[in-house]
Each structure stands twice: as structure tokens, then as C-alpha cells.
Amino acid sequence: MKVGIITASDKGAAGQREDLSGPAIEEMIREIGGEVAAYEVVPDEFEALKAAMIHMADDLGCHLIFTTGGTGFSKRDVTPEATLAVMERNAPGIAEAMRAASLAITNRAMLTRAVSVIRGDSIIVNLPGSPKGVRECLAVILPALPHGVEILTGQASECARPD
């Protein structure tokens, strides 16, 4: 599976902070046979985020696109809005699963505005901005995502679990 990673960080894009969350994603996606096809650190700007997602989905054909950062309440946090702007179909269960699992760890999980959507043959998922949050959320959703990609790309047709 081709994977795209987008880190939303003003300081990271300016070279003032090392991105630790993007590498955490890269490390964990190997568990499901994922290979990073694209990795970008962009500022917390709507158009930059939107352009990166469109490029990875439409031009590079990434099956999974993970964003990290920009999902909180800060005025600069616009990752969910950029993600919804490129959406063709909603896939709320992924973000709901992450939120539910995270709430068992901290009540601050209710403050995330992360979304998950479909664009073409790509599943786009907003992850937290911290490496710890990335690992906790990916641990919940990674086991189901390969099947989601198979269904989306027509490689499988059933979501029901075998008896």
C-alpha cells in the first residue's frame, strides 16, 4: 500500500522544529505492509494542506494519507477543514474509533476535531500532532485499514467477518 504523510507545523515547515510524528507514522505503517510514497511538512495553512492531500491522492495514488497536527482548537489548526474540502465521501468511523479509544486514556481526547474521509481511492485520516498520540491512534485503526483499502479499490467486496 502506498502511504502519504503530511505534517502540519508552522515551525516544522520553517525548519525550526524536528518532526517526530511523521517518522512515528512511517514506522507503524510497516506493520500493515505500507510504504511511504510521499512525505511533506507544510505550514498550518488551509491551501498548503489541501494541495498536499490532493497531490498525494490524485497524482501519486496513495491508498492511505495520514496528516498529523492541526486538529485542535487553535486558530491556526485548520487540518480538518482542509481535509473536508478535498473529501468526496465521509468515513467518520475511523475518527470516531480513534476518539473513543483516546477518551479511555485522557478526557482531552474530546478536544480533537480530527476527521477521516475518502477521496478517489484514498483514505485520508487526521492524526494528533504528538508522536504518543499518533502511536495510540494508529494502534486502534491500523488493523482495519488494509481491508478498507481493499474495499475502496475493488480488491474485496465484503466487510462482514467470516463466521
Side-chain angles (χ1 to χ4, degrees):
M1 275 181 296
K2 290 172 72 172
V3 177
I5 299 171
I6 302 166
T7 298
S9 170
D10 289 331
K11 289 182 178 177
Q16 298 170 345
R17 177 184 294 156
E18 179 185 4
D19 176 30
L20 301 176
S21 298
I25 296 168
E26 183 172 6
E27 177 185 316
M28 289 190 74
I29 56 114
R30 289 188 194 122
E31 296 172 17
I32 60 166
E35 181 180 322
V36 175
Y39 167 69
E40 290 186 46
V41 179
V42 300
D44 287 294
E45 294 175 3
F46 180 85
E47 291 300 331
L49 286 158
K50 194 172 130 182
M53 286 183 245
I54 290 170
H55 174 64
M56 289 182 188
D58 298 2
D59 302 331
L60 301 180
C62 291
H63 302 106
L64 295 169
I65 301 169
F66 295 105
T67 69
T68 176
T71 61
F73 284 12
S74 165
K75 300 233 188 286
R76 296 283 298 156
D77 290 338
V78 296
T79 302
E81 288 74 23
T83 304
L84 292 172
V86 304
M87 166 184 86
E88 291 176 356
R89 294 187 291 154
N90 199 3
I94 299 167
E96 290 167 2
M98 292 188 307
R99 235 179 312 278
S102 296
L103 275 168
I105 299 166
T106 175
N107 65 357
R108 291 185 180 178
M110 70 180 76
L111 302 178
T112 182
R113 299 179 314 106
V115 299
S116 45
V117 304
I118 295 168
R119 179 182 178 88
D121 286 343
S122 302
I123 300 171
I124 305 173
V125 179
N126 298 159
L127 294 169
S130 73
K132 180 180 183 293
V134 162
R135 287 186 187 96
E136 290 169 356
C137 287
L138 283 178
V140 173
I141 65 171
L142 274 184
L145 290 181
H147 186 64
V149 169
E150 289 171 353
I151 294 290
L152 183 60
T153 59
Q155 297 172 28
S157 60
E158 298 293 329
C159 272
R161 289 178 40 183
D163 291 333

